[in-house]
Amino acid sequence: DLNNAVIGAWGDDENGRESGAAYLFKVESDKWTQIAKLGPRRNAPGAKFGSSVRLDNRVLIVGAPGAGKKGTSYLYSMNEENNWEYIRVLSMADASESDNYGFCLGSMDNFICVGVPHSDALAQDGGMVTLFQFYNKKWNPRDVLRPSDSAHRDNFGISLATNDPYVFVGSLNDDDNGDSSGSVYVYDMRTLPTFTPTPTPTPKPTKTPTPTQTPTQTATPRPTKTPRPTVTPNIYASNNVNRQEVESNIQETVEITLATNTPGRRSYWE
């Protein structure tokens, strides 16, 4: 966005020590002017709100990897009056302490990517990335990105970059070419199955019971059948992503590493 800018300040102490903040600026007559200051919605020492920020058209995401000691991200949208308004929190239902959910962020088209570099879903501190998709006028949990070779302390998801249709995920301590040599995993979002929710079934009308010939007896009407609930693939009942119940539907296209064995020389996307 050429007319708006956001700058994170995770050390801001307005809502508690290192609660964090994000400053919004807008250019008018070739001059940048601060228009808003965002912060955690309540007293939140250590939240580090603003550690990561992502501004994409009329959508703003701010990461707070220290919030609740597990991490979270805040989603904002620019309304018709061109004012930023809070939409919702993006989080993970069963996040663990120090997962650092929201450490880094990415977005493109109708997708939001949230890095969780210390997730233990596949390996201790192996890391993962959660995906949200905008559908039916709201942001829905969609899928997760996990490396096929996740290992201890890889920190997959410590950095993110997007270039439609690709998502690039940094894995700081991947050991493919030596101890902590690092890797970048590339995902093609076109391989993600199309989201097509199952339509709600229309319940059959209740049949009117046929009266009996005997006036002293009344036919008992058959109970109305309860329609089956809607089944929506890849969308979860909670607003949170559950890392243990979600299987990734998208595999990496390629893994980029350094050309030679270079232990300690970490490669990750900046």
Side-chain angles (χ1 to χ4, degrees):
D1 192 324
L2 299 179
N3 297 316
N4 294 277
V6 58
I7 299 175
W10 62 264
D12 187 277
D13 298 329
E14 184 171 331
N15 288 313
R17 181 174 176 79
E18 294 186 349
S19 55
Y23 294 83
L24 288 165
F25 295 85
K26 185 175 182 179
V27 64
E28 294 179 345
S29 302
D30 296 328
K31 182 180 179 180
W32 287 96
T33 304
Q34 181 183 329
I35 59 174
K37 179 184 178 181
L38 305 176
R41 294 174 60 80
R42 56 182 177 273
N43 188 42
K48 297 185 178 180
F49 179 98
S51 292
S52 55
V53 293
R54 180 71 178 185
L55 179 62
D56 190 351
N57 198 8
R58 302 177 73 87
V59 174
L60 169 65
I61 316 105
V62 182
K69 297 183 179 180
K70 299 178 181 180
T72 190
S73 296
Y74 293 80
L75 179 62
Y76 302 84
S77 179
M78 184 180 288
N79 58 28
E80 295 180 356
E81 290 75 32
N82 291 326
N83 295 319
W84 290 99
E85 59 182 17
Y86 168 79
I87 301 299
R88 57 165 291 189
V89 164
L90 306 177
S91 58
M92 195 162 61
D94 59 348
S96 299
E97 189 170 319
S98 301
D99 269 0
N100 287 150
Y101 187 92
F103 186 87
C104 62
L105 302 165
S107 64
M108 65 178 182
D109 195 16
N110 291 323
F111 287 96
I112 290 174
C113 312
V114 183
V116 197
H118 293 283
S119 169
D120 300 331
L122 294 182
Q124 184 178 2
D125 290 333
M128 64 185 292
V129 172
T130 62
L131 299 179
F132 293 81
Q133 183 177 13
F134 189 75
Y135 182 83
N136 198 22
K137 299 182 179 180
K138 64 180 181 180
W139 288 96
N140 302 282
R142 178 61 201 274
D143 215 321
V144 296
L145 302 180
R146 295 172 176 165
S148 57
D149 58 348
S150 180
H152 170 66
R153 207 174 55 88
D154 273 359
N155 297 133
F156 175 90
I158 201 166
S159 55
L160 279 168
T162 57
N163 186 11
D164 196 5
Y166 299 105
V167 175
F168 304 86
V169 184
S171 185
L172 178 66
N173 291 307
D174 184 81
D175 297 330
D176 282 7
N177 282 325
D179 185 42
S180 296
S181 54
S183 295
V184 173
Y185 293 78
V186 185
Y187 293 84
D188 186 342
M189 298 301 290
R190 292 172 297 186
T191 65
L192 185 66
T194 303
F195 172 54
T196 52
T198 303
T200 304
T202 303
K204 296 181 180 179
T206 305
K207 293 183 179 180
T208 304
T210 304
T212 59
Q213 298 296 325
T214 305
T216 58
Q217 295 180 351
T218 304
T220 302
R222 295 180 181 178
T224 304
K225 292 183 178 180
T226 303
R228 294 182 179 178
T230 303
V231 179
T232 305
N234 294 320
I235 295 296
Y236 321 114
S238 168
N239 282 335
N240 303 315
V241 174
N242 190 316
R243 64 183 178 190
Q244 294 180 352
E245 295 179 357
V246 179
E247 293 296 333
S248 179
N249 288 312
I250 180 171
Q251 298 297 321
E252 65 260 20
T253 303
V254 65
E255 179 183 352
I256 302 173
T257 61
L258 295 170
T260 58
N261 188 294
T262 50
R265 186 174 180 178
R266 300 168 177 174
S267 73
Y268 57 99
W269 198 269
E270 291 287 4

